Amino acid sequence: MKRIFEIDPWKVETHQFNKEDKRLQESMTAIGNDYMGMRGNFEEGYSGDSLQGTYLAGVWFPDKTVVGWWKNGYPKYFGKTPNSPSFLGIGITINGEKLDLAKVKFSDFDLSLDMHQGLLSRSFIYEGKDVKVKFEFERFLHIVQKEAALIRVKMTVLEGKAKIDFDSTLDGTVVNEDSNYDERFWVPMNEDKEARTIQVKTRPNPYEVPQFTVLEKASLRHDGQVITGEVTTEDAKLDEKFSIELNEGETYDLEKDVIVVTSRDVKDEDQLAVANSLMEKLQAKSFEENLADHTAVWQKRWEMSDVEIAGDDAAQQGIRFNILQLFMTYYGEDERLNVGPKGFTGEKYGGATYWDTEAYIVPMYLGITSPSVTKALLQYRHDQLPGAYHNAKEQGLPGALFPMVTFNGIECHNEWEITFEEIHRNADIPHAIAMYTGYTGDDSYVKNEGMDVLVGTARFWAARVHWSKWRNKYVMHGVTGPNEYENNVNNNWFTNTMARWLLRYTLERLPLATKEAQERVNVSEEEKAKWQDIVDKMYLPEDKDLGIFLQQDDFLDKDIRPVSSIEDQRPINQHWSWDKILRSPFIKQADVLQGIYFLNDEYTKEQKEKNFDFYEPLTVHESSLSPCIHSILAAELGKQEKAVELYQRTARLDLDNYNNDTVDGLHITSMSGSWLAIVQGFAGMRYDHDQLKFNPFVPEGWDHYGFKINYRGRLIEVYVDHEGTKITLLKGDDLEVVVKDKKLELKEGETKNA
Amino acid sequence: MKRIFEIDPWKVETHQFNKEDKRLQESMTAIGNDYMGMRGNFEEGYSGDSLQGTYLAGVWFPDKTVVGWWKNGYPKYFGKTPNSPSFLGIGITINGEKLDLAKVKFSDFDLSLDMHQGLLSRSFIYEGKDVKVKFEFERFLHIVQKEAALIRVKMTVLEGKAKIDFDSTLDGTVVNEDSNYDERFWVPMNEDKEARTIQVKTRPNPYEVPQFTVLEKASLRHDGQVITGEVTTEDAKLDEKFSIELNEGETYDLEKDVIVVTSRDVKDEDQLAVANSLMEKLQAKSFEENLADHTAVWQKRWEMSDVEIAGDDAAQQGIRFNILQLFMTYYGEDERLNVGPKGFTGEKYGGATYWDTEAYIVPMYLGITSPSVTKALLQYRHDQLPGAYHNAKEQGLPGALFPMVTFNGIECHNEWEITFEEIHRNADIPHAIAMYTGYTGDDSYVKNEGMDVLVGTARFWAARVHWSKWRNKYVMHGVTGPNEYENNVNNNWFTNTMARWLLRYTLERLPLATKEAQERVNVSEEEKAKWQDIVDKMYLPEDKDLGIFLQQDDFLDKDIRPVSSIEDQRPINQHWSWDKILRSPFIKQADVLQGIYFLNDEYTKEQKEKNFDFYEPLTVHESSLSPCIHSILAAELGKQEKAVELYQRTARLDLDNYNNDTVDGLHITSMSGSWLAIVQGFAGMRYDHDQLKFNPFVPEGWDHYGFKINYRGRLIEVYVDHEGTKITLLKGDDLEVVVKDKKLELKEGETKNA
């Protein structure tokens, strides 16, 4: 654990600047607007260790995959989000000394992310020879006009005289740290001195992945008026330079307005004109006016989603930081997009889509955004069904196999133990259809497009299992479960369970589907019989003596011992070889428990308890997706202290750098875990069988907490304190809610206590 | 199966030239002299599909390893033999038309490898406009003066007049097909017009692997006299050009003499002088004189090793081709070298050392070369012990882990399922010490250096197993057995068995070791007790009902069915995805049966029979190392027809392109399999407990066969025909030999019948 920002309910702020924490600081101060995002790099540049990163949603590059010995079915490329042309740069030189916090003397450092509105501010006093200048930077990515970034710097001379040279840049010569051979992913197209634009294109590739183009335009304003400097260009680069002189006490402000358009929305040849017009629109308003528009939208988002925690500012800060970062990454406004595990905050996992979305994002977004947002996420997968069929075919199997990692539906990761084997995703992804249907009560999707997804994946599963004469059961070999610290195991309980669930759910829902959907999927009686046979005879490993499900066939053959025996060697993924990890009993993230979480109402309390008590002590939680699931189950089982401990870990995973890897970027997709831990864990929300239920408690040390949810067209407020629970139906039709087994009849505007 | 060369007992010859078979033809006509080697590329160049390859023993390059997500312990590079500067080129243009068999008209094509001496000849008649020229090429790599290559071309004008332009080249701008990003592995150092040399160096690397330098020098002779042309150079390239004019009936011969020196033997700054002096020595003799020297050495090698088969020329050709290719790759004359799976015939497996050497090469070389050759192979591993300790440490384990793939003892392959897991090698490699000791009767090695190897590997194994409370046994998880069509399995019978063998053998031999060795290895009583406990309580999976050992814990849970059910889908590694292969019951190469082969005298005939009958029908033999083991066991079990079928496959694997992959190069390390199949299989040779035994039969269709072996200072000839077996002690002390359970007392010069 490492905490470099201060505790505050609405701010992420620090007064420290340690060079060794620069990357961590950059991750934590990343901002985004669902369209683009950037790490907390410094406008004036920084010559020390740093990960420079600007990312554009939906823009990606297929980087060649190199494998020792190629085998059939291996993906040909590893899809990556290219580090995009940087528009942040405002080089500053004071009396000949380049402003560079790695080198110059400075004081009074402050860096602060305002979580109300995603506004990043930074200030410090530069202490040069015979001169002191206070610098105040602000920046935000416009949530209304998504193509716009606004950056402002104010400087005040506190002592002496300052000649200040500015060099505002657009820079397309950036590279990815995770490129295989330090290649550039971008090739220059053109630079326009007059328009202040650069345009670049992703390198050609042999994989039929479209090349993306990006045009960036910058314009400077001082005191609200456009100003111009001297422009020079080179390939994929533009510099605009000018100088000022300030006397002691004088102040100067400089605003850099940026427009970014890409070939996702605008044809190459139209990008310049569109950028010009967008800039005109942007500059029709002042920085403050634009910020006000931006803040108003954030205000609305918070009204629907804020979680209030009284009595524990660290917990409060954690949940707000997570909601902010999630919403800066994705708010469902572009149905071509999805949620990458690191959002716009780093290169790792490359902005691609994982099963994280369905497993962790969907249940939260169902609660705090409109159902259309979740439906967009479901539709995203439906749109990618052709890719899923392609993936299954590559493995020599029928049906549809959703990818582990993708931008377009085609698998784009290159490790076979993940790509070929971590196939549980192919049930987890369709499981979101069941969650959507169960939560919203809207069965129009499952009856129609949803059926294409269910039947496609059912056909895959029916072929992926095989009949074991030895066991007299259907078995499934060669999989990797959610616990990626075991690879290529046989009969992973979670995978077998979810595959069986998928087949059963598909069989249940198929007769209810629309006629068109039924004709489209065209399932034969023979197929149905086969699926039912698999449902009836699927092998699910368990140990009856211990009363637990077995993570996989050989799990008990391991050297079982608790995580407490290796405390000094954690995180094991940074201390141990991969070989040692694979053979160990230690679990990266919930696996059996993930299944119990997903299919919660199928298991008895005793089953939940025995499995939790067996597996939790073996779990190192080195996936950010793990603590929240454990927290929720712990809460359900009355293990409140454990639930709170694991909530802390999920809520402040990045703020406290629990897994010592936040330098690479934030764990965006797991950020929903803190919301789930509060709502499904502490408040015990369930929505089984068309019945909304709560079973709340207040964590020790908290005074109260409250949140709102959307449920079937209603807006409901839940407030929990030590006296009990208050439920208010803020908006919508009458509803029966169960709180701690007590039925409450809610009417609009009414609050009920329990 | 594809046979493009004709059957002949002493030649590999073809009169066909099909462009689509060019790579296959090149593999089959590769030549080498233990120091260097080359594929059967054409001197005059060839613009069609071809794999150009020249390789220098012991020269390698660490190519960067790219992995999606790096994990601790992963090797940082993949060691590769660089395609070395080509010295073969003699460009030829006739009346303005470039000689290029991909384009020109020609007839009477002949290509022939003389197996007596490794001489490659090629001839054809070029049919140009108004001109016909007969070309006759010959080349060999000098087995006495290893740095020398000799190439000769004769041309005779059959019709018309020919102006012929020659362009003799040295070309260091070559690349590897298996480089990750088409990089060149060589950087130019200098070219010397006067001396006709080029000198190049492998690229710098960040892995502390030394850079190799190579200097190549060429000199032309006509009619025995040195001639010179006009020399031009560019980076890493040299061209020497001249022209002649020939009238109808006239003949011209051109000889290209080449010297290749490397930094393995000669310092960079001395290479030019050394090459000059070696050239002088070479050119002191004519082509014919050099060839005679060369042939004389080959003659001696054949006298010791030839296997004669009467009645089956295909079988005869197969075994001679294999012996020739093996001896062209390695004859134990440079103890720094080893035997790469493709020798000098292709890029794949990169000239590195595998466990193939100990498992397949050692038992053959023990029989047909001096014991010093095998001892050099043992010493090679002893020299690399520091690398083996390094490898174990990288995995977080004590002791020594010999690498799967190496040039210097450090693991240099980059797939974890091989590198970390195919650890059976760590018992197979020390097992060669037992083979050496048992066969030669010389225990000086095992008492001294051998003990370092045994104890180092024993310490690894003792830490790699763990105690399973569940089974009350020592188990071993996360391994890949010899059958690489299963990865990351638990309790692979072969690996557990060989690990137990290693511990047992080490415990047995340790008290007999020299005092110095015992002090060096310093094994405590506690360690010995632990090793003994593992020996006593190692878990070895078996199925008592079926009477078989289980390849791994879950083997019977697979969809077991014979290979005959998938005949139309073979080889499966070219038809199926890796996922499908891993989950299938099909076995790439002997696994349980490999163990029964290695520890042959520990198993009953019934055990051998039941396991053979169970596993053989599941085996696709897609490793070249598989059929020979099955052939030997089939012979032992009296399944003569099966033994012969599998012999054919091992003996003519490349000649008949059984696995459809000989285009990549020859399967050098498995070539010993055909010798083993005859000697250990058909002739049933065993050498258990200081007793040499035979149990011969003559395959159907063969008249007789015969071979010689070295055994404990004696030279013994074995001749088997339908009448029986004749054993002659050609040289050495009296010896008792058992033939078909009958004891024969042999005296020098005597032949005994049985």
Side-chain angles (χ1 to χ4, degrees), chain A residues 286-540:
Chain A
S286 69
F287 187 90
E288 284 77 9
E289 286 165 339
N290 276 307
L291 181 58
D293 292 350
H294 169 83
T295 304
V297 170
W298 273 107
Q299 188 59 30
K300 272 195 206 156
R301 289 187 177 187
W302 279 116
E303 273 168 22
M304 291 270 286
S305 63
D306 187 30
V307 176
E308 198 198 347
I309 298 171
D312 185 341
D313 281 351
Q316 175 69 78
Q317 183 183 37
I319 182 84
R320 287 207 175 113
F321 183 65
N322 292 346
I323 294 172
L324 171 76
Q325 286 291 350
L326 274 167
F327 284 177
M328 290 201 299
T329 304
Y330 183 82
Y331 204 73
E333 290 167 354
D334 181 342
E335 78 286 351
R336 298 167 301 174
L337 298 178
N338 208 289
V339 193
K342 296 231 170 286
F344 301 118
T345 73
E347 295 176 1
K348 208 174 173 188
Y349 312 117
T353 304
Y354 289 65
W355 67 289
D356 304 26
T357 296
E358 281 77 9
Y360 304 93
I361 299 297
V362 161
M364 170 179 174
Y365 274 48
L366 277 173
I368 56 166
T369 65
S370 128
S372 64
V373 174
T374 306
K375 206 163 173 181
L377 289 171
L378 301 184
Q379 190 64 43
Y380 175 93
R381 296 292 189 177
H382 187 271
D383 293 345
Q384 294 191 348
L385 265 172
Y389 275 92
H390 168 88
N391 299 332
K393 201 173 164 208
E394 286 287 298
Q395 300 311 318
L397 289 166
L401 171 61
F402 282 103
M404 190 65 194
V405 184
T406 199
F407 291 89
N408 61 0
I410 292 175
E411 178 61 56
C412 74
H413 184 59
N414 55 1
E415 288 167 288
W416 66 269
E417 61 274 25
I418 302 296
T419 302
F420 300 170
E421 301 212 326
E422 203 174 335
I423 51 173
H424 64 79
R425 63 189 186 250
N426 213 39
D428 311 336
I429 290 167
H431 183 248
I433 298 172
M435 284 195 282
Y436 173 85
T437 308
Y439 188 84
T440 64
D442 166 21
D443 63 359
S444 65
Y445 186 78
V446 69
K447 281 177 161 173
N448 203 336
E449 296 97 326
M451 198 44 64
D452 300 327
V453 170
L454 292 175
V455 170
T457 49
R459 285 183 169 134
F460 172 84
W461 286 116
R464 186 59 166 72
V465 300
H466 72 263
W467 180 252
S468 165
K469 286 182 215 121
W470 194 55
R471 289 195 198 273
N472 231 14
K473 288 275 187 184
Y474 287 97
V475 296
M476 190 156 17
H477 281 197
V479 305
T480 296
N483 172 25
E484 289 169 333
Y485 286 176
E486 295 193 314
N487 286 168
N488 194 39
V489 299
N490 294 338
N491 294 312
N492 172 259
W493 182 86
F494 176 80
T495 307
N496 287 17
T497 295
M498 291 303 293
R500 186 182 65 158
W501 171 84
L502 187 281
L503 290 168
R504 198 178 59 207
Y505 187 73
T506 306
L507 285 168
E508 277 167 24
R509 289 287 171 170
L510 186 56
L512 310 173
T514 64
K515 196 161 155 268
E516 295 72 30
Q518 293 205 27
E519 280 169 8
R520 215 162 50 226
V521 297
N522 193 24
V523 181
S524 70
E525 290 307 314
E526 196 187 338
E527 269 186 296
K528 281 189 254 183
K530 169 85 184 194
W531 297 356
Q532 188 61 52
D533 198 46
I534 298 170
V535 170
D536 296 340
K537 297 175 191 157
M538 180 70 100
Y539 170 61
L540 298 169

Side-chain angles (χ1 to χ4, degrees), chain A residues 69-307:
Chain A
W69 294 314
W70 194 263
K71 292 168 189 105
N72 286 329
Y74 273 24
K76 298 191 171 50
Y77 54 81
F78 186 9
K80 294 175 181 173
T81 292
N83 184 12
S84 294
S86 172
F87 50 75
L88 181 66
I90 306 177
I92 295 173
T93 304
I94 310 132
N95 298 344
E97 185 176 49
K98 190 162 168 35
L99 185 62
D100 175 355
L101 297 196
K103 294 180 176 166
V104 303
K105 198 177 161 202
F106 64 97
S107 61
D108 290 47
F109 181 81
D110 179 70
L111 175 65
S112 173
L113 177 63
D114 178 335
M115 296 196 285
H116 272 113
Q117 62 203 39
L119 177 73
L120 184 66
S121 310
R122 178 167 57 104
S123 63
F124 55 87
I125 296 170
Y126 163 78
E127 302 186 355
K129 193 169 175 291
D130 306 324
V131 65
K132 283 192 182 177
V133 184
K134 177 165 189 180
F135 284 92
E136 294 165 283
F137 290 90
E138 287 173 301
R139 79 171 88 134
F140 66 98
L141 299 174
H142 208 308
I143 202 80
V144 185
Q145 194 177 333
K146 307 253 187 208
E147 301 87 352
L150 291 91
I151 304 154
R152 184 161 68 173
V153 51
K154 275 192 210 167
M155 54 224 89
T156 308
V157 178
L158 306 180
E159 269 182 45
K161 285 179 126 184
K163 172 171 184 292
I164 305 185
D165 307 315
F166 295 101
D167 179 4
S168 164
T169 55
L170 297 173
D171 184 2
T173 67
V174 291
V175 294
N176 273 46
E177 282 201 350
D178 71 354
S179 71
N180 291 337
Y181 275 78
D182 307 324
E183 321 96 311
R184 287 198 189 162
F185 292 159
W186 297 105
V187 288
M189 288 172 74
N190 66 64
E191 304 81 34
D192 187 326
K193 282 189 192 181
E194 201 53 47
R196 271 85 173 155
T197 61
I198 64 168
Q199 196 178 22
V200 295
K201 189 175 203 148
T202 50
R203 277 174 53 186
N205 67 77
Y207 311 115
E208 295 175 24
V209 172
Q211 289 173 267
F212 290 91
T213 61
V214 173
L215 182 135
E216 293 186 354
K217 177 182 176 71
S219 175
L220 302 175
R221 292 201 277 186
H222 166 57
D223 213 6
Q225 300 304 311
V226 171
I227 59 168
T228 57
E230 192 188 335
V231 177
T232 56
T233 60
E234 51 192 281
D235 275 355
K237 261 192 105 170
L238 183 140
D239 290 75
E240 182 162 15
K241 294 180 187 175
F242 72 100
S243 303
I244 57 166
E245 295 195 9
L246 298 179
N247 291 317
E248 192 165 307
E250 285 184 339
T251 288
Y252 186 82
D253 76 278
L254 177 65
E255 179 183 341
K256 181 176 183 179
D257 299 323
V258 177
I259 296 292
V260 180
V261 292
T262 81
S263 52
R264 291 182 64 246
D265 303 305
V266 184
K267 272 191 260 174
D268 296 5
E269 58 272 26
D270 299 336
Q271 289 178 354
L272 180 60
V274 169
N276 286 339
S277 129
L278 286 168
M279 183 63 85
E280 213 168 297
K281 191 177 152 200
L282 180 71
Q283 293 191 331
K285 296 188 179 178
S286 69
F287 187 90
E288 284 77 9
E289 286 165 339
N290 276 307
L291 181 58
D293 292 350
H294 169 83
T295 304
V297 170
W298 273 107
Q299 188 59 30
K300 272 195 206 156
R301 289 187 177 187
W302 279 116
E303 273 168 22
M304 291 270 286
S305 63
D306 187 30
V307 176

Side-chain angles (χ1 to χ4, degrees), chain B residues 259-550:
Chain B
I259 296 292
V260 181
V261 292
T262 80
S263 52
R264 291 182 64 246
D265 304 305
V266 184
K267 273 190 262 174
D268 296 5
E269 57 272 27
D270 299 337
Q271 289 178 354
L272 180 60
V274 169
N276 286 339
S277 130
L278 286 168
M279 183 63 86
E280 214 168 294
K281 189 176 152 200
L282 180 71
Q283 292 191 333
K285 295 188 180 180
S286 68
F287 186 91
E288 284 76 10
E289 287 165 338
N290 276 307
L291 182 57
D293 292 351
H294 169 83
T295 305
V297 171
W298 273 107
Q299 187 60 31
K300 272 194 206 154
R301 290 187 176 186
W302 280 116
E303 273 167 22
M304 291 269 288
S305 63
D306 188 31
V307 176
E308 198 198 347
I309 297 172
D312 186 340
D313 281 351
Q316 175 69 78
Q317 184 183 35
I319 183 84
R320 287 207 175 114
F321 182 66
N322 292 347
I323 294 172
L324 171 75
Q325 287 291 350
L326 274 167
F327 285 177
M328 291 201 299
T329 305
Y330 183 81
Y331 203 73
E333 291 167 353
D334 181 341
E335 78 286 351
R336 298 167 301 173
L337 297 178
N338 208 290
V339 192
K342 297 231 169 285
F344 301 118
T345 73
E347 295 176 2
K348 208 175 173 188
Y349 311 116
T353 304
Y354 289 66
W355 66 289
D356 304 26
T357 296
E358 281 78 7
Y360 304 95
I361 299 297
V362 161
M364 170 178 173
Y365 274 49
L366 277 173
I368 58 168
T369 66
S370 127
S372 65
V373 174
T374 305
K375 206 163 174 182
L377 290 172
L378 301 185
Q379 192 63 43
Y380 175 93
R381 295 293 190 177
H382 187 270
D383 293 345
Q384 294 192 347
L385 265 173
Y389 276 92
H390 168 89
N391 298 331
K393 200 172 166 210
E394 286 286 299
Q395 301 311 319
L397 290 166
L401 170 61
F402 283 102
M404 189 64 194
V405 183
T406 198
F407 291 89
N408 60 359
I410 292 176
E411 178 62 56
C412 74
H413 184 60
N414 55 1
E415 289 167 289
W416 66 269
E417 62 274 25
I418 302 297
T419 301
F420 300 168
E421 300 212 327
E422 203 174 333
I423 51 173
H424 63 81
R425 62 188 187 251
N426 213 38
D428 311 336
I429 289 167
H431 183 247
I433 298 172
M435 284 195 281
Y436 173 84
T437 309
Y439 188 85
T440 65
D442 166 21
D443 63 0
S444 65
Y445 187 78
V446 69
K447 281 177 161 172
N448 203 336
E449 295 97 327
M451 197 46 64
D452 301 327
V453 170
L454 292 174
V455 170
T457 49
R459 285 183 168 134
F460 172 85
W461 286 117
R464 185 59 166 73
V465 300
H466 71 263
W467 179 254
S468 165
K469 288 181 214 121
W470 193 56
R471 288 195 199 273
N472 232 12
K473 288 276 185 183
Y474 288 96
V475 296
M476 190 159 11
H477 282 196
V479 305
T480 296
N483 172 26
E484 290 169 331
Y485 285 178
E486 294 192 316
N487 285 169
N488 194 39
V489 298
N490 294 338
N491 294 312
N492 172 260
W493 180 86
F494 176 81
T495 307
N496 287 17
T497 295
M498 291 304 294
R500 186 182 65 158
W501 170 84
L502 186 281
L503 291 168
R504 198 178 60 207
Y505 187 73
T506 305
L507 285 168
E508 278 167 23
R509 289 287 171 170
L510 186 55
L512 310 173
T514 63
K515 197 162 155 268
E516 295 72 30
Q518 292 204 28
E519 280 170 8
R520 216 162 49 228
V521 297
N522 192 23
V523 180
S524 70
E525 289 308 314
E526 195 187 338
E527 270 186 296
K528 281 189 253 182
K530 169 86 184 192
W531 297 355
Q532 188 61 53
D533 198 45
I534 298 171
V535 169
D536 295 341
K537 296 175 191 158
M538 179 70 100
Y539 171 61
L540 298 169
E542 62 178 321
D543 186 280
K544 292 213 165 110
D545 294 339
L546 294 170
I548 58 165
F549 305 123
L550 288 180

